[in-house]
mmCIF file with all atom_site columns, all heavy atoms in Angstrom:
data_model
loop_
_atom_site.group_PDB
_atom_site.id
_atom_site.type_symbol
_atom_site.label_atom_id
_atom_site.label_alt_id
_atom_site.label_comp_id
_atom_site.label_asym_id
_atom_site.label_entity_id
_atom_site.label_seq_id
_atom_site.pdbx_PDB_ins_code
_atom_site.Cartn_x
_atom_site.Cartn_y
_atom_site.Cartn_z
_atom_site.occupancy
_atom_site.B_iso_or_equiv
_atom_site.pdbx_formal_charge
_atom_site.auth_seq_id
_atom_site.auth_comp_id
_atom_site.auth_asym_id
_atom_site.auth_atom_id
_atom_site.pdbx_PDB_model_num
ATOM 1   N N   . ASP G 1 73 ? 107.123 106.412 -170.360 1.00 87.00 ? 73 ASP G N   1
ATOM 2   C CA  . ASP G 1 73 ? 108.009 105.236 -170.897 1.00 87.00 ? 73 ASP G CA  1
ATOM 3   C C   . ASP G 1 73 ? 107.410 104.917 -172.291 1.00 87.00 ? 73 ASP G C   1
ATOM 4   O O   . ASP G 1 73 ? 108.185 104.614 -173.251 1.00 87.00 ? 73 ASP G O   1
ATOM 5   C CB  . ASP G 1 73 ? 107.970 104.158 -169.999 1.00 87.00 ? 73 ASP G CB  1
ATOM 6   C CG  . ASP G 1 73 ? 108.794 104.338 -168.777 1.00 87.00 ? 73 ASP G CG  1
ATOM 7   O OD1 . ASP G 1 73 ? 109.621 105.291 -168.754 1.00 87.00 ? 73 ASP G OD1 1
ATOM 8   O OD2 . ASP G 1 73 ? 108.544 103.674 -167.772 1.00 87.00 ? 73 ASP G OD2 1
ATOM 9   N N   . LEU G 1 74 ? 106.097 104.753 -172.396 1.00 88.00 ? 74 LEU G N   1
ATOM 10  C CA  . LEU G 1 74 ? 105.465 104.302 -173.656 1.00 88.00 ? 74 LEU G CA  1
ATOM 11  C C   . LEU G 1 74 ? 105.804 105.355 -174.776 1.00 88.00 ? 74 LEU G C   1
ATOM 12  O O   . LEU G 1 74 ? 106.127 105.088 -175.916 1.00 88.00 ? 74 LEU G O   1
ATOM 13  C CB  . LEU G 1 74 ? 104.022 104.105 -173.482 1.00 88.00 ? 74 LEU G CB  1
ATOM 14  C CG  . LEU G 1 74 ? 103.185 103.811 -174.811 1.00 88.00 ? 74 LEU G CG  1
ATOM 15  C CD1 . LEU G 1 74 ? 103.690 102.478 -175.468 1.00 88.00 ? 74 LEU G CD1 1
ATOM 16  C CD2 . LEU G 1 74 ? 101.711 103.788 -174.560 1.00 88.00 ? 74 LEU G CD2 1
ATOM 17  N N   . LEU G 1 75 ? 105.620 106.662 -174.495 1.00 86.00 ? 75 LEU G N   1
ATOM 18  C CA  . LEU G 1 75 ? 105.817 107.745 -175.421 1.00 86.00 ? 75 LEU G CA  1
ATOM 19  C C   . LEU G 1 75 ? 107.359 107.748 -175.787 1.00 86.00 ? 75 LEU G C   1
ATOM 20  O O   . LEU G 1 75 ? 107.620 108.033 -177.011 1.00 86.00 ? 75 LEU G O   1
ATOM 21  C CB  . LEU G 1 75 ? 105.431 108.991 -174.795 1.00 86.00 ? 75 LEU G CB  1
ATOM 22  C CG  . LEU G 1 75 ? 103.996 109.291 -174.544 1.00 86.00 ? 75 LEU G CG  1
ATOM 23  C CD1 . LEU G 1 75 ? 103.675 110.548 -173.716 1.00 86.00 ? 75 LEU G CD1 1
ATOM 24  C CD2 . LEU G 1 75 ? 103.200 109.303 -175.900 1.00 86.00 ? 75 LEU G CD2 1
ATOM 25  N N   . ARG G 1 76 ? 108.251 107.523 -174.972 1.00 83.00 ? 76 ARG G N   1
ATOM 26  C CA  . ARG G 1 76 ? 109.612 107.520 -175.248 1.00 83.00 ? 76 ARG G CA  1
ATOM 27  C C   . ARG G 1 76 ? 109.969 106.293 -176.283 1.00 83.00 ? 76 ARG G C   1
ATOM 28  O O   . ARG G 1 76 ? 110.668 106.491 -177.232 1.00 83.00 ? 76 ARG G O   1
ATOM 29  C CB  . ARG G 1 76 ? 110.521 107.306 -173.966 1.00 83.00 ? 76 ARG G CB  1
ATOM 30  C CG  . ARG G 1 76 ? 110.626 108.555 -173.229 1.00 83.00 ? 76 ARG G CG  1
ATOM 31  C CD  . ARG G 1 76 ? 111.379 108.305 -171.959 1.00 83.00 ? 76 ARG G CD  1
ATOM 32  N NE  . ARG G 1 76 ? 111.605 109.520 -171.197 1.00 83.00 ? 76 ARG G NE  1
ATOM 33  C CZ  . ARG G 1 76 ? 111.795 109.694 -169.877 1.00 83.00 ? 76 ARG G CZ  1
ATOM 34  N NH1 . ARG G 1 76 ? 111.789 108.530 -169.169 1.00 83.00 ? 76 ARG G NH1 1
ATOM 35  N NH2 . ARG G 1 76 ? 112.019 110.837 -169.329 1.00 83.00 ? 76 ARG G NH2 1
ATOM 36  N N   . LYS G 1 77 ? 109.334 105.105 -176.016 1.00 82.00 ? 77 LYS G N   1
ATOM 37  C CA  . LYS G 1 77 ? 109.579 104.041 -176.882 1.00 82.00 ? 77 LYS G CA  1
ATOM 38  C C   . LYS G 1 77 ? 108.967 104.365 -178.317 1.00 82.00 ? 77 LYS G C   1
ATOM 39  O O   . LYS G 1 77 ? 109.561 104.053 -179.326 1.00 82.00 ? 77 LYS G O   1
ATOM 40  C CB  . LYS G 1 77 ? 108.792 102.785 -176.407 1.00 82.00 ? 77 LYS G CB  1
ATOM 41  C CG  . LYS G 1 77 ? 109.530 102.216 -175.121 1.00 82.00 ? 77 LYS G CG  1
ATOM 42  C CD  . LYS G 1 77 ? 108.831 101.040 -174.583 1.00 82.00 ? 77 LYS G CD  1
ATOM 43  C CE  . LYS G 1 77 ? 109.307 100.491 -173.382 1.00 82.00 ? 77 LYS G CE  1
ATOM 44  N NZ  . LYS G 1 77 ? 108.550 99.340  -172.725 1.00 82.00 ? 77 LYS G NZ  1
ATOM 45  N N   . ARG G 1 78 ? 107.836 105.091 -178.343 1.00 77.00 ? 78 ARG G N   1
ATOM 46  C CA  . ARG G 1 78 ? 107.176 105.477 -179.618 1.00 77.00 ? 78 ARG G CA  1
ATOM 47  C C   . ARG G 1 78 ? 108.197 106.425 -180.351 1.00 77.00 ? 78 ARG G C   1
ATOM 48  O O   . ARG G 1 78 ? 108.390 106.253 -181.504 1.00 77.00 ? 78 ARG G O   1
ATOM 49  C CB  . ARG G 1 78 ? 105.874 106.040 -179.406 1.00 77.00 ? 78 ARG G CB  1
ATOM 50  C CG  . ARG G 1 78 ? 104.748 105.133 -179.002 1.00 77.00 ? 78 ARG G CG  1
ATOM 51  C CD  . ARG G 1 78 ? 103.413 105.925 -178.825 1.00 77.00 ? 78 ARG G CD  1
ATOM 52  N NE  . ARG G 1 78 ? 102.300 105.079 -178.481 1.00 77.00 ? 78 ARG G NE  1
ATOM 53  C CZ  . ARG G 1 78 ? 101.142 105.402 -178.151 1.00 77.00 ? 78 ARG G CZ  1
ATOM 54  N NH1 . ARG G 1 78 ? 100.909 106.737 -178.142 1.00 77.00 ? 78 ARG G NH1 1
ATOM 55  N NH2 . ARG G 1 78 ? 100.172 104.545 -177.840 1.00 77.00 ? 78 ARG G NH2 1
ATOM 56  N N   . THR G 1 79 ? 108.751 107.359 -179.544 1.00 72.00 ? 79 THR G N   1
ATOM 57  C CA  . THR G 1 79 ? 109.658 108.249 -180.189 1.00 72.00 ? 79 THR G CA  1
ATOM 58  C C   . THR G 1 79 ? 110.842 107.694 -180.740 1.00 72.00 ? 79 THR G C   1
ATOM 59  O O   . THR G 1 79 ? 111.352 107.983 -181.885 1.00 72.00 ? 79 THR G O   1
ATOM 60  C CB  . THR G 1 79 ? 110.073 109.383 -179.211 1.00 72.00 ? 79 THR G CB  1
ATOM 61  O OG1 . THR G 1 79 ? 108.864 109.950 -178.642 1.00 72.00 ? 79 THR G OG1 1
ATOM 62  C CG2 . THR G 1 79 ? 110.919 110.463 -179.799 1.00 72.00 ? 79 THR G CG2 1
ATOM 63  N N   . LEU G 1 80 ? 111.452 106.793 -180.006 1.00 70.00 ? 80 LEU G N   1
ATOM 64  C CA  . LEU G 1 80 ? 112.648 106.051 -180.441 1.00 70.00 ? 80 LEU G CA  1
ATOM 65  C C   . LEU G 1 80 ? 112.403 105.199 -181.651 1.00 70.00 ? 80 LEU G C   1
ATOM 66  O O   . LEU G 1 80 ? 113.160 105.290 -182.611 1.00 70.00 ? 80 LEU G O   1
ATOM 67  C CB  . LEU G 1 80 ? 113.167 105.114 -179.304 1.00 70.00 ? 80 LEU G CB  1
ATOM 68  C CG  . LEU G 1 80 ? 113.955 105.827 -178.190 1.00 70.00 ? 80 LEU G CG  1
ATOM 69  C CD1 . LEU G 1 80 ? 114.145 104.865 -177.035 1.00 70.00 ? 80 LEU G CD1 1
ATOM 70  C CD2 . LEU G 1 80 ? 115.223 106.378 -178.735 1.00 70.00 ? 80 LEU G CD2 1
ATOM 71  N N   . HIS G 1 81 ? 111.277 104.514 -181.736 1.00 63.00 ? 81 HIS G N   1
ATOM 72  C CA  . HIS G 1 81 ? 110.868 103.725 -182.804 1.00 63.00 ? 81 HIS G CA  1
ATOM 73  C C   . HIS G 1 81 ? 110.657 104.599 -184.087 1.00 63.00 ? 81 HIS G C   1
ATOM 74  O O   . HIS G 1 81 ? 111.144 104.258 -185.120 1.00 63.00 ? 81 HIS G O   1
ATOM 75  C CB  . HIS G 1 81 ? 109.579 102.946 -182.508 1.00 63.00 ? 81 HIS G CB  1
ATOM 76  C CG  . HIS G 1 81 ? 109.058 102.062 -183.619 1.00 63.00 ? 81 HIS G CG  1
ATOM 77  N ND1 . HIS G 1 81 ? 109.777 100.928 -184.048 1.00 63.00 ? 81 HIS G ND1 1
ATOM 78  C CD2 . HIS G 1 81 ? 107.984 102.129 -184.488 1.00 63.00 ? 81 HIS G CD2 1
ATOM 79  C CE1 . HIS G 1 81 ? 109.124 100.407 -184.959 1.00 63.00 ? 81 HIS G CE1 1
ATOM 80  N NE2 . HIS G 1 81 ? 107.954 101.078 -185.299 1.00 63.00 ? 81 HIS G NE2 1
ATOM 81  N N   . ALA G 1 82 ? 110.036 105.776 -183.905 1.00 59.00 ? 82 ALA G N   1
ATOM 82  C CA  . ALA G 1 82 ? 109.835 106.606 -185.075 1.00 59.00 ? 82 ALA G CA  1
ATOM 83  C C   . ALA G 1 82 ? 111.117 107.150 -185.574 1.00 59.00 ? 82 ALA G C   1
ATOM 84  O O   . ALA G 1 82 ? 111.334 107.239 -186.818 1.00 59.00 ? 82 ALA G O   1
ATOM 85  C CB  . ALA G 1 82 ? 108.825 107.758 -184.646 1.00 59.00 ? 82 ALA G CB  1
ATOM 86  N N   . SER G 1 83 ? 112.112 107.485 -184.677 1.00 56.00 ? 83 SER G N   1
ATOM 87  C CA  . SER G 1 83 ? 113.380 108.020 -185.025 1.00 56.00 ? 83 SER G CA  1
ATOM 88  C C   . SER G 1 83 ? 114.226 106.880 -185.819 1.00 56.00 ? 83 SER G C   1
ATOM 89  O O   . SER G 1 83 ? 114.829 107.294 -186.824 1.00 56.00 ? 83 SER G O   1
ATOM 90  C CB  . SER G 1 83 ? 114.148 108.393 -183.780 1.00 56.00 ? 83 SER G CB  1
ATOM 91  O OG  . SER G 1 83 ? 113.507 109.483 -183.137 1.00 56.00 ? 83 SER G OG  1
ATOM 92  N N   . LYS G 1 84 ? 114.093 105.701 -185.368 1.00 55.00 ? 84 LYS G N   1
ATOM 93  C CA  . LYS G 1 84 ? 114.873 104.669 -186.030 1.00 55.00 ? 84 LYS G CA  1
ATOM 94  C C   . LYS G 1 84 ? 114.278 104.400 -187.404 1.00 55.00 ? 84 LYS G C   1
ATOM 95  O O   . LYS G 1 84 ? 115.053 104.192 -188.372 1.00 55.00 ? 84 LYS G O   1
ATOM 96  C CB  . LYS G 1 84 ? 114.699 103.368 -185.216 1.00 55.00 ? 84 LYS G CB  1
ATOM 97  C CG  . LYS G 1 84 ? 115.571 103.325 -184.003 1.00 55.00 ? 84 LYS G CG  1
ATOM 98  C CD  . LYS G 1 84 ? 115.453 102.143 -183.125 1.00 55.00 ? 84 LYS G CD  1
ATOM 99  C CE  . LYS G 1 84 ? 116.177 102.166 -181.820 1.00 55.00 ? 84 LYS G CE  1
ATOM 100 N NZ  . LYS G 1 84 ? 116.054 100.905 -181.007 1.00 55.00 ? 84 LYS G NZ  1
ATOM 101 N N   . GLU G 1 85 ? 112.987 104.585 -187.540 1.00 51.00 ? 85 GLU G N   1
ATOM 102 C CA  . GLU G 1 85 ? 112.444 104.347 -188.939 1.00 51.00 ? 85 GLU G CA  1
ATOM 103 C C   . GLU G 1 85 ? 112.755 105.497 -189.877 1.00 51.00 ? 85 GLU G C   1
ATOM 104 O O   . GLU G 1 85 ? 112.705 105.301 -191.093 1.00 51.00 ? 85 GLU G O   1
ATOM 105 C CB  . GLU G 1 85 ? 110.943 104.224 -188.737 1.00 51.00 ? 85 GLU G CB  1
ATOM 106 C CG  . GLU G 1 85 ? 110.445 102.915 -188.267 1.00 51.00 ? 85 GLU G CG  1
ATOM 107 C CD  . GLU G 1 85 ? 108.950 102.794 -188.261 1.00 51.00 ? 85 GLU G CD  1
ATOM 108 O OE1 . GLU G 1 85 ? 108.210 103.813 -188.570 1.00 51.00 ? 85 GLU G OE1 1
ATOM 109 O OE2 . GLU G 1 85 ? 108.440 101.693 -188.083 1.00 51.00 ? 85 GLU G OE2 1
ATOM 110 N N   . GLU G 1 86 ? 113.145 106.588 -189.391 1.00 52.00 ? 86 GLU G N   1
ATOM 111 C CA  . GLU G 1 86 ? 113.554 107.779 -190.223 1.00 52.00 ? 86 GLU G CA  1
ATOM 112 C C   . GLU G 1 86 ? 114.856 107.487 -190.977 1.00 52.00 ? 86 GLU G C   1
ATOM 113 O O   . GLU G 1 86 ? 114.993 107.840 -192.046 1.00 52.00 ? 86 GLU G O   1
ATOM 114 C CB  . GLU G 1 86 ? 113.676 108.982 -189.443 1.00 52.00 ? 86 GLU G CB  1
ATOM 115 C CG  . GLU G 1 86 ? 112.360 109.608 -188.869 1.00 52.00 ? 86 GLU G CG  1
ATOM 116 C CD  . GLU G 1 86 ? 111.524 110.104 -189.966 1.00 52.00 ? 86 GLU G CD  1
ATOM 117 O OE1 . GLU G 1 86 ? 112.115 110.543 -191.061 1.00 52.00 ? 86 GLU G OE1 1
ATOM 118 O OE2 . GLU G 1 86 ? 110.350 110.098 -189.886 1.00 52.00 ? 86 GLU G OE2 1
ATOM 119 N N   . GLU G 1 87 ? 115.789 106.721 -190.226 1.00 49.00 ? 87 GLU G N   1
ATOM 120 C CA  . GLU G 1 87 ? 117.192 106.405 -190.791 1.00 49.00 ? 87 GLU G CA  1
ATOM 121 C C   . GLU G 1 87 ? 117.716 107.660 -191.607 1.00 49.00 ? 87 GLU G C   1
ATOM 122 O O   . GLU G 1 87 ? 118.051 107.570 -192.763 1.00 49.00 ? 87 GLU G O   1
ATOM 123 C CB  . GLU G 1 87 ? 116.957 105.215 -191.722 1.00 49.00 ? 87 GLU G CB  1
ATOM 124 C CG  . GLU G 1 87 ? 116.476 103.996 -191.015 1.00 49.00 ? 87 GLU G CG  1
ATOM 125 C CD  . GLU G 1 87 ? 116.385 102.787 -191.946 1.00 49.00 ? 87 GLU G CD  1
ATOM 126 O OE1 . GLU G 1 87 ? 116.655 103.023 -193.192 1.00 49.00 ? 87 GLU G OE1 1
ATOM 127 O OE2 . GLU G 1 87 ? 116.165 101.656 -191.468 1.00 49.00 ? 87 GLU G OE2 1
ATOM 128 N N   . VAL G 1 88 ? 118.006 108.624 -190.782 1.00 42.00 ? 88 VAL G N   1
ATOM 129 C CA  . VAL G 1 88 ? 118.459 109.887 -191.409 1.00 42.00 ? 88 VAL G CA  1
ATOM 130 C C   . VAL G 1 88 ? 119.986 110.053 -191.181 1.00 42.00 ? 88 VAL G C   1
ATOM 131 O O   . VAL G 1 88 ? 120.492 111.155 -191.223 1.00 42.00 ? 88 VAL G O   1
ATOM 132 C CB  . VAL G 1 88 ? 117.724 111.037 -190.921 1.00 42.00 ? 88 VAL G CB  1
ATOM 133 C CG1 . VAL G 1 88 ? 116.362 111.094 -191.452 1.00 42.00 ? 88 VAL G CG1 1
ATOM 134 C CG2 . VAL G 1 88 ? 117.777 111.116 -189.362 1.00 42.00 ? 88 VAL G CG2 1
ATOM 135 N N   . GLY G 1 89 ? 120.676 108.920 -190.874 1.00 45.00 ? 89 GLY G N   1
ATOM 136 C CA  . GLY G 1 89 ? 122.241 109.009 -190.711 1.00 45.00 ? 89 GLY G CA  1
ATOM 137 C C   . GLY G 1 89 ? 122.537 109.964 -189.648 1.00 45.00 ? 89 GLY G C   1
ATOM 138 O O   . GLY G 1 89 ? 122.285 109.785 -188.503 1.00 45.00 ? 89 GLY G O   1
ATOM 139 N N   . ARG G 1 90 ? 123.373 110.952 -190.085 1.00 44.00 ? 90 ARG G N   1
ATOM 140 C CA  . ARG G 1 90 ? 123.946 111.891 -189.085 1.00 44.00 ? 90 ARG G CA  1
ATOM 141 C C   . ARG G 1 90 ? 122.925 112.702 -188.275 1.00 44.00 ? 90 ARG G C   1
ATOM 142 O O   . ARG G 1 90 ? 123.268 113.185 -187.175 1.00 44.00 ? 90 ARG G O   1
ATOM 143 C CB  . ARG G 1 90 ? 124.913 112.800 -189.806 1.00 44.00 ? 90 ARG G CB  1
ATOM 144 C CG  . ARG G 1 90 ? 126.095 112.206 -190.491 1.00 44.00 ? 90 ARG G CG  1
ATOM 145 C CD  . ARG G 1 90 ? 126.852 113.244 -191.267 1.00 44.00 ? 90 ARG G CD  1
ATOM 146 N NE  . ARG G 1 90 ? 128.040 112.690 -191.898 1.00 44.00 ? 90 ARG G NE  1
ATOM 147 C CZ  . ARG G 1 90 ? 128.824 113.309 -192.611 1.00 44.00 ? 90 ARG G CZ  1
ATOM 148 N NH1 . ARG G 1 90 ? 128.644 114.669 -192.832 1.00 44.00 ? 90 ARG G NH1 1
ATOM 149 N NH2 . ARG G 1 90 ? 129.876 112.753 -193.313 1.00 44.00 ? 90 ARG G NH2 1
ATOM 150 N N   . GLU G 1 91 ? 121.819 112.862 -188.884 1.00 47.00 ? 91 GLU G N   1
ATOM 151 C CA  . GLU G 1 91 ? 120.769 113.716 -188.253 1.00 47.00 ? 91 GLU G CA  1
ATOM 152 C C   . GLU G 1 91 ? 119.987 113.020 -187.137 1.00 47.00 ? 91 GLU G C   1
ATOM 153 O O   . GLU G 1 91 ? 119.170 113.528 -186.475 1.00 47.00 ? 91 GLU G O   1
ATOM 154 C CB  . GLU G 1 91 ? 119.781 114.280 -189.283 1.00 47.00 ? 91 GLU G CB  1
ATOM 155 C CG  . GLU G 1 91 ? 120.451 115.227 -190.285 1.00 47.00 ? 91 GLU G CG  1
ATOM 156 C CD  . GLU G 1 91 ? 119.424 115.805 -191.251 1.00 47.00 ? 91 GLU G CD  1
ATOM 157 O OE1 . GLU G 1 91 ? 118.233 115.580 -191.043 1.00 47.00 ? 91 GLU G OE1 1
ATOM 158 O OE2 . GLU G 1 91 ? 119.855 116.362 -192.238 1.00 47.00 ? 91 GLU G OE2 1
#
Side-chain angles (χ1 to χ4, degrees):
D73 288 342
L74 176 65
L75 291 171
R76 282 176 176 153
K77 289 177 183 177
R78 287 179 178 175
T79 302
L80 284 170
H81 181 69
S83 297
K84 288 177 181 178
E85 287 188 344
E86 290 291 333
E87 295 182 357
V88 291
R90 296 178 182 177
E91 297 182 8

